[in-house]
Amino acid sequence: MTLLGQTTESSSPLAEEAEILEIRGGRPLRGTVEVKGAKNLVTKAMVAALLGESPSLLRDVPMISDVAVVRSLLEVHGVRVAEGDEPGSLVLDPRDVESAHMEEIDAHAGASRIPILFCGPLLHRLGQAFIPDLGGCRIGDRPIDFHLDALRKFGAIVEKLPSGIRLSAPRGLHGANIHLPYPSVGATEQVLLTAVRAQGITELRNAAIEPEIMDLIALLQKMGAIISYEPNRVILIEGVPKLNGYDHRSIFDRNEAASWASAAIATDGEIFVAGARQQEMLTFLNVLRKIGAHFEVREDGILFARGEALKPVTVETDVHPGFMTDWQQPLIVALTQATGRSVVHETVYENRFGFTQALVKMGADITVYPHGLQEGPRRVPRRSLEQAAVITGPTPLHGADITVPDLRGGYSHVIAALAAEGTSTVRNIGIIRRGYADFLAKLTALGADFDVIG
């Protein structure tokens, strides 16, 4: 890797803040990468520290921009955050929590959607909370109505203002019976973070049951919460008057693990993902088996490679234990090299195939059906918002000038550029730092050939 024509260390802070990469593709990625704590757990665990009356210790924290955003929001509210003795750990001390000004919250939140999850803990600690207009990746409508409806059932008063949303709980929060219209991960997290200190019992039906949700439940139990879950997506929470801090090691990031797996397949390389575990990736591994890709489960991680000639597959995204929506974008890059017609039905978000335009520009044969496809048997019930992408391959990819649209789509663009013949310019890669720690350093370790332009 070079920076402005000069050699630089892969750990250079300037390199990790790059916005434009010039990538020379056509080289297989080979080597080892290590995945740390899951972005979708770590940021929520940091918020959970607000509920404790003593400091918490969180281990295996990835140094990504979403973590930095949550850290700054906690500090704005008076939480002291410091690095722990173990590398990659954080100590979060919430004993001096205080209210923050709207302007400060807005400035520190940036494009993150995390502030909505501060509501329950702050209502318990301070009796009030404020969240600014929410940002996040532009992958379709991500309404917060599920969150607000749940908070109202707990007894919160919600006021929508031009600058955001103000919440208060002058009489405290009480247990509630909540049935989610859809098993939303974010709304399930909201209920958990609110119900553990609410007076009485909360019953949550149609809850999300992702591994990160189960890890959050384990963390809350360490703090003193009483939570049980039953079949058919039912979670019961008995509120307690106080919680203590936790000492917790985060579950690994299965999204990042699947991303590197797709990178190995797309570039015809071989990548050992240290820290990946079979159980949480079972559905993803089944799809790899169907397309003929190679994987080898080891005690300390999973090895991924293309293996034999790739076969087409039909995939339907779904909530856990289905095929994750975050897995389909990097997988589609690999499917451009499969022989035949693959179909990906996206049922979770209504606008997540925009990234395929850049792949078509690079030579891929991909057709997006904005209203989905009726063909074939379906395991996942059709949703009105769903789309479908048909990928016909194999097609050689060639270099192009492309701009990153969102986190997983951006990663997919980089991998496509690394698989393509010729040189690509990939812009706006700063978005990738939201979910991938040490991204450029890992690419360098795998033998990627690129320059950091700026």
Side-chain angles (χ1 to χ4, degrees):
M1 178 182 71
T2 58
L3 174 63
L4 299 177
Q6 299 193 5
T7 301
T8 182
E9 295 296 327
S10 61
S11 60
S12 163
L14 181 58
E16 289 302 334
E17 294 175 1
E19 293 296 334
I20 302 174
L21 294 184
E22 185 177 88
I23 298 174
R24 290 169 289 279
R27 296 177 58 175
L29 296 182
R30 299 184 184 278
T32 297
V33 294
E34 183 178 10
V35 291
K36 292 292 187 180
K39 163 184 167 308
N40 289 343
L41 180 278
V42 167
T43 49
K44 320 308 166 51
M46 294 172 69
V47 175
L50 277 168
L51 293 163
E53 296 187 9
S54 57
S56 292
L57 175 60
L58 183 60
R59 305 175 190 269
D60 274 356
V61 179
M63 293 305 138
I64 56 178
S65 60
D66 271 15
V67 167
V69 168
V70 178
R71 176 174 181 166
S72 64
L73 284 169
L74 288 171
E75 291 173 337
V76 161
H77 283 94
V79 177
R80 292 194 296 274
V81 184
E83 280 70 31
D85 295 335
E86 178 183 308
S89 65
L90 289 178
V91 177
L92 306 106
D93 187 344
R95 288 176 290 189
D96 296 322
V97 171
E98 59 186 29
S99 297
H101 296 294
M102 295 183 186
E103 295 79 8
E104 289 181 295
I105 298 173
D106 199 12
H108 286 268
S112 173
R113 302 180 65 85
I114 289 293
I116 186 68
L117 292 176
F118 276 67
C119 293
L122 288 177
L123 286 171
H124 286 303
R125 295 297 300 267
L126 305 173
Q128 60 181 347
F130 174 81
I131 52 173
D133 289 333
L134 298 176
C137 288
R138 296 180 180 178
I139 53 177
D141 189 22
R142 301 176 73 175
I144 63 170
D145 290 347
F146 293 175
H147 293 258
L148 299 181
D149 289 345
L151 289 165
R152 289 189 183 98
K153 289 183 178 180
F154 282 113
I157 298 172
V158 179
E159 301 175 80
K160 294 186 178 181
L161 307 173
S163 55
I165 301 171
R166 178 189 291 127
L167 299 99
S168 59
R171 298 182 180 179
L173 299 178
H174 54 75
N177 291 321
I178 299 172
H179 189 117
L180 296 178
Y182 181 79
S184 160
V185 170
T188 299
E189 293 164 340
Q190 181 72 259
V191 171
L192 288 169
L193 292 169
T194 305
V196 288
R197 292 267 317 261
Q199 184 176 2
I201 297 175
T202 295
E203 181 179 285
L204 174 62
R205 294 188 175 275
N206 204 27
I209 55 171
E210 271 69 4
E212 295 81 10
I213 293 288
M214 295 297 106
D215 204 33
L216 180 60
I217 289 174
L219 177 150
L220 291 168
Q221 187 184 59
K222 289 179 180 180
M223 300 179 74
I226 302 173
I227 306 173
S228 59
Y229 51 91
E230 301 177 351
N232 300 321
R233 300 183 178 276
V234 177
I235 298 177
L236 296 173
I237 308 103
E238 298 181 37
V240 296
K242 62 175 287 187
L243 294 171
N244 297 311
Y246 59 76
D247 183 340
H248 190 76
R249 188 176 301 278
S250 169
I251 187 175
F252 80 101
D253 196 317
R254 61 198 176 110
N255 290 340
E256 183 179 359
S259 295
W260 291 118
S262 295
I265 298 166
T267 66
D268 198 8
E270 183 178 275
I271 299 176
F272 178 68
V273 183
R277 296 200 305 256
Q278 179 183 14
Q279 181 175 346
E280 290 82 0
M281 300 191 69
L282 192 69
T283 304
F284 180 80
L285 296 177
N286 282 337
V287 171
L288 294 195
R289 176 94 0 111
K290 289 179 182 180
I291 68 175
H294 173 77
F295 63 87
E296 179 182 323
V297 178
R298 300 177 182 173
E299 185 176 352
D300 57 344
I302 306 177
L303 178 72
F304 297 97
R306 180 177 295 185
E308 58 193 74
L310 299 179
K311 296 173 286 191
V313 70
T314 296
V315 174
E316 303 166 65
T317 67
D318 195 11
V319 294
H320 187 78
F323 192 91
M324 287 189 69
T325 178
D326 284 346
W327 291 341
Q328 60 92 346
Q329 290 170 294
L331 180 68
I332 282 178
V333 181
L335 291 178
T336 65
Q337 303 310 304
T339 300
R341 180 178 182 268
S342 295
V343 181
V344 176
H345 299 277
E346 173 56 57
T347 76
V348 178
Y349 289 120
E350 74 276 27
N351 185 26
R352 210 166 198 187
F353 286 136
F355 80 101
T356 62
Q357 296 174 10
L359 301 185
V360 172
K361 185 178 179 180
M362 300 175 77
D365 184 348
I366 303 174
T367 302
V368 173
Y369 293 83
H371 303 295
L373 287 174
Q374 300 286 349
E375 65 180 50
R378 291 287 298 273
R379 187 189 69 82
V380 181
R382 278 188 57 84
R383 299 185 70 201
S384 59
L385 57 74
E386 75 176 50
Q387 295 184 315
V390 174
I391 308 100
T392 305
T395 52
L397 301 179
H398 55 76
D401 189 335
I402 51 182
T403 300
V404 166
D406 59 70
L407 175 58
R408 307 299 171 188
Y411 177 96
S412 303
H413 287 169
V414 170
I415 299 309
L418 289 165
E421 292 295 331
T423 300
S424 296
T425 301
V426 186
R427 306 177 188 276
N428 199 32
I429 67 160
I431 291 177
I432 298 175
R433 295 196 305 274
R434 287 191 51 224
Y436 295 88
D438 303 319
F439 182 60
L440 300 186
K442 289 175 180 176
L443 287 180
T444 300
L446 294 173
D449 184 7
F450 62 93
D451 291 335
V452 177
I453 305 301

